Amino acid sequence: MSADTTLMPIPGPVDPVPVPRAAPAREDGRVELVGLSREQIRAALEAAGLEPRQAKLRAKQLWHWIYNRGVTDFALMTDIAKTQQPWLAERFSIERPGVVEAQVSTDGTRKWLLKTHDGHDFEMVFIPDTDRGTLCVSSQVGCTLNCRFCHTGTMRLVRNLEPHEIVGQVMLARDALGEWPSQPEGRMLTNIVMMGMGEPLYNFDNVRDALKIVMDGDGLGLSKRRITLSTSGVVPMMARAGEEIGVNLAVSLHAVTKEIRDEIVPLNRKYGIEELLQACADYPGANNARRITFEYVMLKDKNDSDEHARELVRLIRHYRLPAKVNLIPFNPWPGAEYECSTPERIRAFSNIVFEAGISAPVRTPRGRDIDAACGQLKTAAEKRSRAELDRQAEEKLRALG
Ligand code: SAH
Ligand code: SF4
């Protein structure tokens, strides 16, 4: 494990997992207001010296300016006294993550390279469609897990993103799309998927707090039905995700045998397929109207045979899962050791699942030309050899117990 990764228990009925070091406080000493609940904003104002009654009123006003109007400057808050605006600006930050670079794909997909206040790069992607627009949000800088087909998995885990950095991605997208003030109708940004860099269930508290704000009807106002959290299978956190966040669940299954899943999703050695599927069957809120999505990356000659497709159907039936399957053509990246299955193979696989009455669309790769597609996200991290990555994966798994 790298020197700046420490063992720290996540709250809840789980064992210790390697988590990155906490985000440092801002160098300028200001407190981030984005990502705090109304009550936390009020408490922060009181702690800074405002009278309780004033703190309560100001918290309400700030919430409105931040989440309904999208302002990033206290000087624009016209119902806050001119003399108090600089007082707030000295003590609090309502800034967005920094934008290092913004790219647009030939298919309209946009990718942003972002920077945290302490200098770490991460990415976010916006995928426009005719009837909707999906923002792919990152939860960590890097990832503790090393799925072998994923470019992010080759990154060192740097740190968890804080609530303001997660909510900040959504707000930045609204800035770019010109979608302030918040309004329920006619938005381009309609859906959110927690499918950017990182494993959201290894940053549970921050992801939950951030998504609560994203879902707040008086704030960013996205319905939980339009938000999907994707996990590689952190079984002990799945029930809490259902209870405390309540968004749609996507599970990165990718293989139906222990041997293959152990290889391509190493977390499987800790939480196996049976345990994972049982946790899916128990996921609060899953039913035929709100199905669990199983993501399945199509890797040539690895996990893509007819037999694998039939086993997938058997498993879904065995656990009586309200499921749909999302087949993802493998997106290549420099140094990847896999190839994408042929279109014919993907179609044959999809047909077997579909004929069993389970929806199995093939996801159209988006933004490949700017490395914005699934599994292509990776920011400045030193190049490492496969052998070193394997060694790291082993160490991380040992740390998982
Ligand atoms: N860490 C979470 C969410 C981020 S990844 C998870 O693993 O679920 C979002 C999806 O992209 C996951 O299903 C992931 O397995 C998949 N993916 C990763 N690398 C990929 C690649 N190179 N090609 C296609 N899909 C990939
Ligand atoms: Fe991490 Fe998800 Fe990539 Fe696996 S697929 S390495 S869990 S980001």
Side-chain angles (χ1 to χ4, degrees), residues 246-365:
V247 295
N248 303 321
L249 182 69
V251 172
S252 294
L253 189 62
H254 302 318
V256 290
T257 69
K258 173 166 171 51
E259 196 200 344
I260 301 174
R261 196 161 191 269
D262 276 357
E263 177 194 326
I264 66 179
V265 184
L267 184 64
N268 195 64
R269 296 179 220 164
K270 180 151 179 69
Y271 307 117
I273 293 175
E274 286 76 21
E275 239 181 300
L276 175 58
L277 295 181
Q278 188 56 50
C280 291
D282 299 339
Y283 186 74
N287 54 50
N288 281 333
R290 282 188 86 197
R291 292 169 185 274
I292 294 175
T293 302
F294 288 98
E295 294 160 285
Y296 200 99
V297 63
M298 299 301 292
L299 304 173
K300 188 175 184 188
D301 299 331
K302 177 54 72 180
N303 64 356
D304 63 350
S305 70
D306 285 356
E307 215 179 2
H308 291 139
R310 283 193 286 269
E311 177 61 6
L312 179 58
V313 169
R314 190 193 68 80
L315 285 170
I316 288 172
R317 285 188 176 150
H318 179 79
Y319 287 90
R320 301 172 182 276
L321 295 167
K324 58 186 173 202
V325 174
N326 214 325
L327 299 175
I328 316 176
F330 170 66
N331 292 306
W333 39 272
E337 61 189 303
Y338 301 107
E339 276 179 69
C340 184
S341 310
T342 61
E344 298 74 43
R345 186 87 297 276
I346 298 178
R347 213 168 310 127
F349 194 106
S350 168
N351 284 344
I352 291 174
V353 180
F354 187 76
E355 275 160 23
I358 301 162
S359 149
V362 180
R363 196 186 283 175
T364 315

Side-chain angles (χ1 to χ4, degrees), residues 20 122-123 136-145 147 150-153 155-161 169 193-203 207 229-234 252 375 377-378:
F122 62 107
E123 293 180 318
C136 181
V137 170
S138 290
S139 56
Q140 299 182 308
V141 182
C143 188
T144 39
L145 302 167
C147 303
C150 173
H151 209 188
T152 308
M155 273 182 79
R156 191 167 65 98
L157 172 66
V158 180
R159 72 164 170 82
N160 280 333
L161 291 173
Q169 294 173 62
V193 292
M194 296 301 300
M195 294 188 188
M197 295 165 72
E199 167 50 58
L201 295 190
Y202 274 159
N203 185 15
V207 167
L229 183 149
S230 173
T231 179
S232 55
V234 184
S252 294
L377 303 186
K378 173 180 172 158

